[in-house]
Amino acid sequence: MSNQKATFLEYNINQLNLPMDFSDLIPENHIARVINDMVNQLDDQLFYEVYRGGGRPAYHPKMMTKIVLYGYTQKWFSCRDIAKSLTEQLPMMWLAAMQTPDYRTINRFRSERLKPLIHTLFSKLTQLLITEGYVDGSTYFLDGTKIEANANKYTFVWRKSVQNYEEKLQVKIHEMIEEIEKHVELDHVQLQQDEEKDTKRISSAALQSIVESVERELSTKEQQLEQTTNKKEKKAQKQAVKPLQKLHRKMKTDALPRLKKYETSFRLFDGRNSYSKTDTDATFMRMKDDHMKNGQLKAGYNWQVGTQDQFILFFTVHPNPTDTRCLLSHVEALKESGLPLPETLIADAGYGSESNYVAMEDEPFDTLIPSNTFRQEQKRSFAKKQFHPYNWTYDEKNDVYWCPNKRKVMFQRYAKRTDTYGYTRDFKIYECESCKECPLKSACTKARGNRQIHYNPVYEELKAKQHLKLNTEDGRTLYQKRKTDVESVFGHVKQNLGFRRLHLRGKEKVHIELGLVALAHNLRKIAARNRNRRSKTLLDNKNKKLTDQTSKTSISEFVFQGLLGQP
């Protein structure tokens, strides 16, 4: 057993330690330094424009931006967690210069100050990514993912249900108006104005005027009752007024509030089929993380993201469940953002509609967007489908198809179809000369009459143009890269960053939060790239030293062997 005395390093928490600057304790490539450098490059005037003068001095907006961004990079999406870290986390204390705004101040800055600022802030930081060479913006991989809203999943309101209830209420209102007209002479000016728009619907404004007319009539009858001295006449008058009072009470306390409620719901729908009472901007949509496998709908938003090299270049927020209707508004917002437009926009088949193809023809950049049948058409089995019109023989000169039974399918007429969103498509209708007694009819069509083909020339031409580009070597390379670029971003945000559900309500605040998430993702990518570059530099320097040492050893051995006279 050793007789040596144990020794320890000096430890005294009451002793003042120098230096007082603890920035040296933060590693060189720490993400806090990345955030500090990126935000410091922004112009101060950008932040000052959202503040009014006077009052108590506010916390510096750059400091507030830094701590919020750092909080989101560390998965602290609650303002209480960010405020708590200001007294516990060394990087946060350094970024805040030891200032400690409370959670209310942080939340007010995030929800109010960043509202007019988030667009410009994101664009400026994206410009810095391009300037510093992380991306060049030439390719733009677009896709969307659904983010669950901060809303109760049982607070849904459906358009069809509101329409049904509103129609039944309109019937009751018309019945009550007919009863009221037996007692009161109504002013039909307001009703006639509504009937010009819809002969069956009465607005809440018109109903309000009717209620006021009935109230005036009841007030007149009450004055008459007070002047009546004969008890029998007074009793008879009261009995005569009761039906009118009942109708007035029912209309004022039941029909009018319900009609106002339905009109508010129609305004909130704004082209959607549903909304949540908790967050009226959120739409109920199917999420991929349906663990019960019962197709449950949840309130959410469609987050459209454009990426390059797994950096988020731009984003928009939409209440539409499908990606098809998000492309045009996303591109318009991209053009208004001031960011450089890409050379090529790459998206998946979810965006491949005729309206999108037609609109993208006028844009200054190229597109790679397959149709929803692109994958099927590339398979060998597709060419074996003998009853699909794509595999039939077409006589361009006579504008005639030949079916598998060698019968003519001739052009008959033009037709138009307008979808629920108001877009009109043109079709050419072809019909077989006769499917009677055809042995292949049961496999060819389920129609009672002859087989028809509904051909959309505009869509087929634009679709063929996209498929032609996708089948080139460059097109295949770019489209294959899309899967590992934008999809990886969604995986990083939802899995690594842990952001699966929103914490703010309302489309404007949701846009702020998703903007912070996008910036946090980009900042984490920058920090990771810098660490990898530093590690690679250190490894290269180490290998160079080993190579130099090996070279010196080889030369020494050569000289030593020469002195010994060895070959």
mmCIF file of all heavy atoms in Angstrom, residues 458-480:
data_model
loop_
_atom_site.group_PDB
_atom_site.id
_atom_site.type_symbol
_atom_site.label_atom_id
_atom_site.label_comp_id
_atom_site.label_asym_id
_atom_site.label_seq_id
_atom_site.Cartn_x
_atom_site.Cartn_y
_atom_site.Cartn_z
ATOM 1 N N VAL A 458 -53.657 19.927 -74.811
ATOM 2 C CA VAL A 458 -52.744 20.867 -74.142
ATOM 3 C C VAL A 458 -51.940 20.146 -73.069
ATOM 4 O O VAL A 458 -50.704 20.252 -72.998
ATOM 5 C CB VAL A 458 -53.533 22.043 -73.535
ATOM 6 C CG1 VAL A 458 -52.606 22.960 -72.750
ATOM 7 C CG2 VAL A 458 -54.261 22.815 -74.619
ATOM 8 N N TYR A 459 -52.646 19.408 -72.219
ATOM 9 C CA TYR A 459 -51.970 18.686 -71.137
ATOM 10 C C TYR A 459 -51.003 17.640 -71.682
ATOM 11 O O TYR A 459 -49.874 17.509 -71.198
ATOM 12 C CB TYR A 459 -53.021 18.030 -70.247
ATOM 13 C CG TYR A 459 -52.452 17.147 -69.157
ATOM 14 C CD1 TYR A 459 -51.707 17.674 -68.124
ATOM 15 C CD2 TYR A 459 -52.676 15.763 -69.176
ATOM 16 C CE1 TYR A 459 -51.186 16.865 -67.128
ATOM 17 C CE2 TYR A 459 -52.164 14.950 -68.200
ATOM 18 C CZ TYR A 459 -51.420 15.502 -67.183
ATOM 19 O OH TYR A 459 -50.901 14.697 -66.207
ATOM 20 N N GLU A 460 -51.421 16.890 -72.692
ATOM 21 C CA GLU A 460 -50.568 15.828 -73.234
ATOM 22 C C GLU A 460 -49.307 16.401 -73.878
ATOM 23 O O GLU A 460 -48.223 15.821 -73.757
ATOM 24 C CB GLU A 460 -51.354 15.011 -74.262
ATOM 25 C CG GLU A 460 -52.516 14.217 -73.691
ATOM 26 C CD GLU A 460 -52.073 13.142 -72.704
ATOM 27 O OE1 GLU A 460 -50.909 12.703 -72.801
ATOM 28 O OE2 GLU A 460 -52.876 12.748 -71.854
ATOM 29 N N GLU A 461 -49.429 17.538 -74.531
ATOM 30 C CA GLU A 461 -48.260 18.154 -75.160
ATOM 31 C C GLU A 461 -47.257 18.644 -74.115
ATOM 32 O O GLU A 461 -46.051 18.386 -74.208
ATOM 33 C CB GLU A 461 -48.703 19.318 -76.044
ATOM 34 C CG GLU A 461 -47.541 20.019 -76.753
ATOM 35 C CD GLU A 461 -47.993 21.207 -77.568
ATOM 36 O OE1 GLU A 461 -49.225 21.403 -77.704
ATOM 37 O OE2 GLU A 461 -47.124 21.957 -78.061
ATOM 38 N N LEU A 462 -47.764 19.351 -73.085
ATOM 39 C CA LEU A 462 -46.869 19.861 -72.033
ATOM 40 C C LEU A 462 -46.284 18.721 -71.206
ATOM 41 O O LEU A 462 -45.123 18.774 -70.778
ATOM 42 C CB LEU A 462 -47.643 20.832 -71.144
ATOM 43 C CG LEU A 462 -48.137 22.106 -71.829
ATOM 44 C CD1 LEU A 462 -49.001 22.922 -70.887
ATOM 45 C CD2 LEU A 462 -46.964 22.942 -72.320
ATOM 46 N N LYS A 463 -47.085 17.699 -70.967
ATOM 47 C CA LYS A 463 -46.606 16.534 -70.216
ATOM 48 C C LYS A 463 -45.488 15.836 -70.991
ATOM 49 O O LYS A 463 -44.457 15.439 -70.409
ATOM 50 C CB LYS A 463 -47.758 15.574 -69.957
ATOM 51 C CG LYS A 463 -47.391 14.374 -69.110
ATOM 52 C CD LYS A 463 -48.582 13.455 -68.910
ATOM 53 C CE LYS A 463 -48.834 12.627 -70.138
ATOM 54 N NZ LYS A 463 -49.837 11.567 -69.897
ATOM 55 N N ALA A 464 -45.671 15.668 -72.295
ATOM 56 C CA ALA A 464 -44.645 15.023 -73.125
ATOM 57 C C ALA A 464 -43.350 15.820 -73.122
ATOM 58 O O ALA A 464 -42.250 15.256 -73.117
ATOM 59 C CB ALA A 464 -45.164 14.854 -74.545
ATOM 60 N N LYS A 465 -43.468 17.146 -73.088
ATOM 61 C CA LYS A 465 -42.279 18.002 -73.051
ATOM 62 C C LYS A 465 -41.497 17.790 -71.748
ATOM 63 O O LYS A 465 -40.264 17.710 -71.751
ATOM 64 C CB LYS A 465 -42.697 19.464 -73.190
ATOM 65 C CG LYS A 465 -41.534 20.434 -73.352
ATOM 66 C CD LYS A 465 -42.007 21.874 -73.382
ATOM 67 C CE LYS A 465 -42.880 22.141 -74.592
ATOM 68 N NZ LYS A 465 -43.223 23.599 -74.684
ATOM 69 N N GLN A 466 -42.225 17.691 -70.634
ATOM 70 C CA GLN A 466 -41.566 17.437 -69.342
ATOM 71 C C GLN A 466 -40.938 16.048 -69.304
ATOM 72 O O GLN A 466 -39.814 15.874 -68.828
ATOM 73 C CB GLN A 466 -42.584 17.588 -68.208
ATOM 74 C CG GLN A 466 -43.088 19.000 -67.996
ATOM 75 C CD GLN A 466 -42.031 19.940 -67.465
ATOM 76 O OE1 GLN A 466 -41.140 19.547 -66.713
ATOM 77 N NE2 GLN A 466 -42.118 21.200 -67.865
ATOM 78 N N HIS A 467 -41.646 15.051 -69.804
ATOM 79 C CA HIS A 467 -41.124 13.679 -69.789
ATOM 80 C C HIS A 467 -39.888 13.556 -70.676
ATOM 81 O O HIS A 467 -38.973 12.783 -70.365
ATOM 82 C CB HIS A 467 -42.207 12.710 -70.254
ATOM 83 C CG HIS A 467 -43.308 12.533 -69.259
ATOM 84 N ND1 HIS A 467 -44.274 11.569 -69.381
ATOM 85 C CD2 HIS A 467 -43.597 13.200 -68.112
ATOM 86 C CE1 HIS A 467 -45.110 11.649 -68.360
ATOM 87 N NE2 HIS A 467 -44.721 12.635 -67.589
ATOM 88 N N LEU A 468 -39.855 14.326 -71.757
ATOM 89 C CA LEU A 468 -38.691 14.298 -72.642
ATOM 90 C C LEU A 468 -37.456 14.825 -71.917
ATOM 91 O O LEU A 468 -36.369 14.248 -72.029
ATOM 92 C CB LEU A 468 -38.977 15.136 -73.898
ATOM 93 C CG LEU A 468 -37.906 15.107 -74.996
ATOM 94 C CD1 LEU A 468 -37.759 13.699 -75.571
ATOM 95 C CD2 LEU A 468 -38.256 16.095 -76.104
ATOM 96 N N LYS A 469 -37.619 15.893 -71.144
ATOM 97 C CA LYS A 469 -36.492 16.442 -70.371
ATOM 98 C C LYS A 469 -36.087 15.497 -69.249
ATOM 99 O O LYS A 469 -34.897 15.361 -68.933
ATOM 100 C CB LYS A 469 -36.870 17.812 -69.803
ATOM 101 C CG LYS A 469 -37.006 18.891 -70.860
ATOM 102 C CD LYS A 469 -37.203 20.264 -70.239
ATOM 103 C CE LYS A 469 -38.547 20.411 -69.611
ATOM 104 N NZ LYS A 469 -38.785 21.802 -69.117
ATOM 105 N N LEU A 470 -37.069 14.833 -68.641
ATOM 106 C CA LEU A 470 -36.772 13.920 -67.537
ATOM 107 C C LEU A 470 -36.046 12.664 -68.014
ATOM 108 O O LEU A 470 -35.337 12.024 -67.226
ATOM 109 C CB LEU A 470 -38.066 13.525 -66.828
ATOM 110 C CG LEU A 470 -38.688 14.597 -65.934
ATOM 111 C CD1 LEU A 470 -40.146 14.277 -65.649
ATOM 112 C CD2 LEU A 470 -37.915 14.715 -64.629
ATOM 113 N N ASN A 471 -36.196 12.314 -69.262
ATOM 114 C CA ASN A 471 -35.549 11.109 -69.792
ATOM 115 C C ASN A 471 -34.135 11.370 -70.314
ATOM 116 O O ASN A 471 -33.459 10.440 -70.741
ATOM 117 C CB ASN A 471 -36.404 10.507 -70.915
ATOM 118 C CG ASN A 471 -37.620 9.778 -70.368
ATOM 119 O OD1 ASN A 471 -37.554 9.149 -69.312
ATOM 120 N ND2 ASN A 471 -38.741 9.871 -71.069
ATOM 121 N N THR A 472 -33.687 12.627 -70.282
ATOM 122 C CA THR A 472 -32.306 12.918 -70.638
ATOM 123 C C THR A 472 -31.396 12.594 -69.453
ATOM 124 O O THR A 472 -31.861 12.445 -68.314
ATOM 125 C CB THR A 472 -32.143 14.389 -71.022
ATOM 126 O OG1 THR A 472 -32.490 15.219 -69.892
ATOM 127 C CG2 THR A 472 -33.028 14.744 -72.215
ATOM 128 N N GLU A 473 -30.101 12.508 -69.704
ATOM 129 C CA GLU A 473 -29.161 12.157 -68.636
ATOM 130 C C GLU A 473 -29.139 13.235 -67.552
ATOM 131 O O GLU A 473 -29.148 12.926 -66.360
ATOM 132 C CB GLU A 473 -27.763 11.976 -69.232
ATOM 133 C CG GLU A 473 -26.739 11.495 -68.212
ATOM 134 C CD GLU A 473 -25.380 11.223 -68.846
ATOM 135 O OE1 GLU A 473 -25.295 11.264 -70.097
ATOM 136 O OE2 GLU A 473 -24.425 10.979 -68.090
ATOM 137 N N ASP A 474 -29.102 14.511 -67.960
ATOM 138 C CA ASP A 474 -29.100 15.604 -66.982
ATOM 139 C C ASP A 474 -30.405 15.642 -66.209
ATOM 140 O O ASP A 474 -30.416 15.893 -64.993
ATOM 141 C CB ASP A 474 -28.879 16.944 -67.693
ATOM 142 C CG ASP A 474 -27.483 17.061 -68.283
ATOM 143 O OD1 ASP A 474 -26.585 16.314 -67.826
ATOM 144 O OD2 ASP A 474 -27.302 17.878 -69.210
ATOM 145 N N GLY A 475 -31.520 15.407 -66.911
ATOM 146 C CA GLY A 475 -32.809 15.414 -66.244
ATOM 147 C C GLY A 475 -32.935 14.308 -65.215
ATOM 148 O O GLY A 475 -33.432 14.533 -64.112
ATOM 149 N N ARG A 476 -32.473 13.118 -65.562
ATOM 150 C CA ARG A 476 -32.533 12.003 -64.609
ATOM 151 C C ARG A 476 -31.657 12.286 -63.388
ATOM 152 O O ARG A 476 -32.049 12.009 -62.255
ATOM 153 C CB ARG A 476 -32.083 10.713 -65.286
ATOM 154 C CG ARG A 476 -33.136 10.072 -66.173
ATOM 155 C CD ARG A 476 -32.746 8.643 -66.518
ATOM 156 N NE ARG A 476 -31.500 8.611 -67.277
ATOM 157 C CZ ARG A 476 -31.422 8.627 -68.588
ATOM 158 N NH1 ARG A 476 -32.538 8.702 -69.313
ATOM 159 N NH2 ARG A 476 -30.251 8.583 -69.204
ATOM 160 N N THR A 477 -30.471 12.863 -63.624
ATOM 161 C CA THR A 477 -29.554 13.156 -62.514
ATOM 162 C C THR A 477 -30.163 14.174 -61.557
ATOM 163 O O THR A 477 -30.111 14.003 -60.328
ATOM 164 C CB THR A 477 -28.221 13.677 -63.058
ATOM 165 O OG1 THR A 477 -27.673 12.716 -63.953
ATOM 166 C CG2 THR A 477 -27.241 13.930 -61.921
ATOM 167 N N LEU A 478 -30.742 15.232 -62.109
ATOM 168 C CA LEU A 478 -31.342 16.269 -61.271
ATOM 169 C C LEU A 478 -32.539 15.730 -60.493
ATOM 170 O O LEU A 478 -32.680 15.988 -59.296
ATOM 171 C CB LEU A 478 -31.784 17.455 -62.130
ATOM 172 C CG LEU A 478 -30.764 18.561 -62.381
ATOM 173 C CD1 LEU A 478 -31.342 19.628 -63.283
ATOM 174 C CD2 LEU A 478 -30.294 19.173 -61.073
ATOM 175 N N TYR A 479 -33.402 14.967 -61.161
ATOM 176 C CA TYR A 479 -34.596 14.482 -60.485
ATOM 177 C C TYR A 479 -34.258 13.451 -59.407
ATOM 178 O O TYR A 479 -34.918 13.387 -58.371
ATOM 179 C CB TYR A 479 -35.571 13.886 -61.498
ATOM 180 C CG TYR A 479 -36.934 13.639 -60.899
ATOM 181 C CD1 TYR A 479 -37.779 14.702 -60.615
ATOM 182 C CD2 TYR A 479 -37.372 12.360 -60.594
ATOM 183 C CE1 TYR A 479 -39.027 14.504 -60.057
ATOM 184 C CE2 TYR A 479 -38.613 12.143 -60.032
ATOM 185 C CZ TYR A 479 -39.438 13.221 -59.762
ATOM 186 O OH TYR A 479 -40.675 13.014 -59.186
ATOM 187 N N GLN A 480 -33.239 12.657 -59.633
ATOM 188 C CA GLN A 480 -32.815 11.703 -58.603
ATOM 189 C C GLN A 480 -32.244 12.431 -57.387
ATOM 190 O O GLN A 480 -32.413 11.984 -56.250
ATOM 191 C CB GLN A 480 -31.776 10.746 -59.183
ATOM 192 C CG GLN A 480 -32.361 9.714 -60.142
ATOM 193 C CD GLN A 480 -31.299 8.873 -60.811
ATOM 194 O OE1 GLN A 480 -30.104 9.064 -60.589
ATOM 195 N NE2 GLN A 480 -31.726 7.948 -61.664
#
